């Protein structure tokens, strides 16, 4: 397929990554080869189409208000990821709160990732693994990535890069007595968002669960 016959969105992504590679070559003396640039553009275009192909209506669990407490004896797991397209590094975070809104646990991790969608799926899996290790039986998981949540609810996985991660998430979900997935706005996921960005920047305190930083506390 030539660029002239590519979808407009793919052409835009190709031009963007060519521009980035040019800048890296000028300022750092290294550059991705043409095949790597094409793969990066194709992957970003696939993510773009994946998001824009979702139904215009929101999922039934959609929330527009700030974070809401889960039912009694449930644990709410808020997950998020922050992805760096240049380094392919991603900060993952899962924060656990009870029905009183109290932070009862959490987990963060810095990983390499194929894409932002893969990173978001890895964050959800991190949440499930950590919740299982804590021994909780009733959980509700929230993410501000509508694509990941939609595929988990429909059990429809299309892209090999993150399909195996989302399949792992479903496998873990069967280990709980009660488990649900919900999509929320980023405004309802502020604490997890703060954790991911600071984890990616290597500035998140390791003991943040026991000693919550003031900036994070303001988001709870």
């Amino acid at each position: 397929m030539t660029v002239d016959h590519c979808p407009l969105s793919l052409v835009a992504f190709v031009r963007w990554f060519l521009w980035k590679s040019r800048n890296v070559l000028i300022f750092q003396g290294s550059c991705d080869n043409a095949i790597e640039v094409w793969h990066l553009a194709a992957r970003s275009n696939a993510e773009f189409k994946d998001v824009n192909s979702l139904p215009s209506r929101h999922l039934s669990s959609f929330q527009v208000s700030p974070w809401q407490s889960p039912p009694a004896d449930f644990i709410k797991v808020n997950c998020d990821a922050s992805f760096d397209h240049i380094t392919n590094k991603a900060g993952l975070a899962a924060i656990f709160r009870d029905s009183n809104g109290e932070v009862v646990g959490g987990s963060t991790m810095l990983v390499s990732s194929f894409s932002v969608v893969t990173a978001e799926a890895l964050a959800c899996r991190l949440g499930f693994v950590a919740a299982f290790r804590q021994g909780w039986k009733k959980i509700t998981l929230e993410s501000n990535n509508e694509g990941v949540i939609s595929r988990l609810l429909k059990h429809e996985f299309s892209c090999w890069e993150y399909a195996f991660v989302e399949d792992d998430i479903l496998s873990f979900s069967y280990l709980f007595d009660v488990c649900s997935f919900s999509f929320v706005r980023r405004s309802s996921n502020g604490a997890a968002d703060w954790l991911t960005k600071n984890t990616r920047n290597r500035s998140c305190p390791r003991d943040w669960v026991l000693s919550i930083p003031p900036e994070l506390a303001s988001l709870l």
Side-chain angles (χ1 to χ4, degrees):
M1 178 186 293
T2 64
V3 172
D4 290 340
H5 292 88
C6 291
L8 290 178
S9 59
L10 180 54
V11 173
F13 282 118
V14 169
R15 289 174 176 171
W16 166 247
F17 282 107
L18 284 174
W19 176 256
K20 287 181 63 178
S21 295
R22 170 188 176 277
N23 289 339
V24 172
L25 177 62
I26 292 174
F27 296 108
Q28 299 181 20
S30 63
C31 183
D32 295 329
N33 61 44
I35 295 177
E36 291 174 334
V37 171
W38 177 264
H39 285 168
L40 285 170
R43 186 158 57 225
S44 297
N45 181 64
E47 294 171 7
F48 175 81
K49 292 197 304 183
D50 180 56
V51 171
N52 284 276
S53 64
L54 292 170
S56 58
R57 64 179 180 82
H58 295 301
L59 302 175
S60 59
S61 55
F62 174 71
Q63 297 178 6
V64 295
S65 59
W67 187 89
Q68 296 180 2
S69 300
D73 74 356
F74 271 75
I75 297 296
K76 177 168 284 191
V77 185
N78 284 87
C79 303
D80 198 11
S82 178
F83 180 68
D84 188 324
H85 286 276
I86 297 177
T87 63
N88 288 334
K89 294 294 184 180
L92 312 180
I95 181 171
F96 311 120
R97 282 181 277 182
D98 60 19
S99 57
N100 295 317
E102 296 294 329
V103 176
V104 294
S107 183
T108 56
M109 184 179 296
L110 182 66
V111 301
S112 296
S113 178
F114 293 114
S115 64
V116 62
V117 179
T118 303
E120 295 282 2
L122 287 170
C124 291
R125 185 172 68 176
L126 173 67
F128 270 113
V129 172
F132 176 73
R133 289 175 176 172
Q134 289 288 338
W136 292 314
K137 296 299 182 181
K138 298 180 180 180
I139 66 170
T140 175
L141 181 142
E142 291 183 345
S143 168
N144 54 263
N145 188 284
E146 190 171 2
V148 171
I149 296 301
S150 178
R151 288 188 295 274
L152 290 173
L153 291 173
K154 297 176 181 178
H155 295 201
E156 296 178 356
F157 310 134
S158 56
C159 181
W160 68 267
E161 287 186 357
Y162 44 82
F164 72 96
V165 181
E166 293 171 344
D167 187 59
D168 273 355
I169 296 171
L170 285 181
S171 297
F172 269 106
S173 70
Y174 295 123
L175 300 176
F176 300 93
D177 292 342
V178 183
C179 175
S180 66
F181 307 98
S182 297
F183 164 69
V184 292
R185 291 286 192 190
R186 186 172 296 278
S187 59
S188 301
N189 209 28
D193 179 59
W194 185 91
L195 286 167
T196 61
K197 291 176 179 177
N198 283 274
T199 297
R200 194 192 72 186
N201 296 331
R202 294 181 172 85
S203 58
C204 182
R206 293 189 177 185
D207 63 343
W208 66 267
V209 174
L210 299 176
S211 180
I212 299 177
E215 190 174 354
L216 176 59
S218 68
L219 299 171
L220 298 174

